[in-house]
Amino acid sequence: MNKVAIVTGSAGGLGKGIAERLCKDGFRVVLHDINEALLNKTVSEFEEKNFRVIGVKGDVSKREDQFNLVKKAVAAFGRLDVFVNNAGIDAVSPFLEITEEQLNRLFNINVNGVVFGTQAAAEQFIKQETKGKIINACSIAGHESFEMLGTYSATKHAVKSFTHSAAKELAKYKITVNAYCPGVAKTKMWDRIDEEMVKYSDDLKPGEAFEKFSSEIALKRYQTPEDVANLVSFLASDDSDYITGQAILTDGGLVYR
């Protein structure tokens, strides 16, 4: 295989799991993150496994950085086939305590980053005159709004909307746009969510917020990076060529849409 994929926010967490799966699928992968030290560590780890990767530091909230990311991928590997808009952040707070800073930060990264990444990838696919796949990180919070996660939920609803709009407009170029919607995973993001929810609760103890969400999963276990990577692997493959504009839940049975 000579296909090339970019995965933003892939130095750790779900992004790292997605990048590793795509490497195993035979992709040449561009790892990306704003945390340069962690990015370099992940690149070295992947190179030790004989994966064909490069690392690019960047800030997804900056349009110039997203276009530069694509340029570096093409300079290194000659083409682009898949762009995974994975990078994102969370915030936990009561609705009445949502601040201007919180709104701006989460929308800049979670929403603007997806828009800029989609634009950069689509421009390259059109230039190549090839089909292309854009895969966005949505969430169960893009289907259902959760208390204490108002801003995060709003950004993920926006990601779902942009996925739909982009899919409709880019279909004529044979570019598909889909999203994966994870649920409750044992990641650093969920560790932070748990920690913050405890701060705002008189009843919860550390770990209990995570356990509360996990206990409601029909398949009776929390999510792993591999669970998410399995879906992204399919969306990145030729087998998904007839699927576009979808925000697919991968949550073990938690939110039903």
Side-chain angles (χ1 to χ4, degrees):
M1 183 196 287
N2 292 317
K3 289 186 177 181
V4 178
I6 293 172
V7 185
T8 67
S10 51
L14 297 181
K16 181 180 178 182
I18 290 167
E20 183 165 5
R21 173 58 188 268
L22 293 180
C23 285
K24 290 178 179 177
D25 288 344
F27 280 86
R28 293 171 288 173
V29 175
V30 179
L31 299 168
H32 163 277
D33 212 278
I34 198 169
N35 185 333
E36 189 170 21
L38 186 59
L39 175 64
N40 291 338
K41 180 180 178 183
T42 302
V43 169
S44 296
E45 179 185 327
F46 279 27
E47 288 176 339
E48 289 176 3
K49 296 179 179 180
N50 295 316
F51 295 152
R52 297 184 65 185
V53 298
I54 63 166
V56 178
K57 180 187 177 184
D59 180 347
V60 296
S61 70
K62 296 179 180 178
R63 192 173 190 271
E64 182 181 356
D65 278 21
Q66 293 287 68
F67 278 79
N68 180 61
L69 173 59
V70 170
K71 287 179 182 177
K72 289 192 173 181
V74 174
F77 295 128
R79 61 180 291 122
L80 180 65
D81 299 278
V82 173
F83 193 104
V84 183
N85 281 303
N86 173 77
I89 58 172
D90 64 272
V92 179
S93 70
F95 186 87
L96 295 180
E97 295 182 21
I98 293 173
T99 63
E100 183 177 357
E101 187 276 334
Q102 181 188 119
L103 287 166
N104 289 338
R105 184 164 182 259
L106 264 71
F107 273 89
N108 282 341
I109 294 171
N110 294 2
V111 182
N112 296 10
V114 167
V115 172
F116 300 151
T118 300
Q119 291 173 335
E123 183 179 275
Q124 180 59 33
F125 296 145
I126 294 168
K127 182 179 179 181
Q128 291 174 180
E129 297 184 340
T130 65
K131 70 178 183 181
K133 294 176 181 290
I134 296 167
I135 307 170
N136 299 328
C138 191
S139 168
I140 54 173
H143 289 270
E144 181 173 321
S145 298
F146 292 90
E147 59 182 331
M148 303 294 291
L149 294 169
T151 303
Y152 179 74
S153 296
T155 64
K156 293 304 181 180
H157 275 73
V159 168
K160 183 173 68 172
S161 180
F162 275 123
T163 298
H164 294 163
S165 298
K168 291 176 180 180
E169 293 191 34
L170 298 176
K172 63 184 177 183
Y173 301 110
K174 296 183 180 178
I175 298 170
T176 61
V177 188
N178 292 291
Y180 54 98
C181 303
V184 182
K186 190 63 175 173
T187 60
K188 289 184 178 179
M189 177 181 283
W190 260 99
D191 288 342
R192 288 193 300 271
I193 291 173
D194 183 275
E195 183 180 336
E196 290 299 313
M197 284 191 169
V198 169
K199 290 181 183 178
Y200 291 104
S201 172
D202 296 327
D203 305 319
L204 292 174
K205 297 177 182 178
E208 288 185 349
F210 180 81
E211 289 300 324
K212 178 179 179 295
F213 277 97
S214 298
S215 68
E216 297 172 2
I217 298 172
L219 294 182
K220 299 303 180 186
R221 67 172 178 85
Y222 60 76
Q223 190 159 41
T224 68
E226 290 76 17
D227 294 321
V228 180
N230 289 339
L231 174 57
V232 176
S233 172
F234 168 69
L235 292 174
S237 75
D238 292 340
D239 290 340
S240 69
D241 280 359
Y242 199 60
I243 298 173
T244 195
Q246 304 305 305
I248 303 171
L249 287 155
T250 169
D251 64 358
L254 187 58
V255 173
Y256 296 84
R257 293 291 184 274

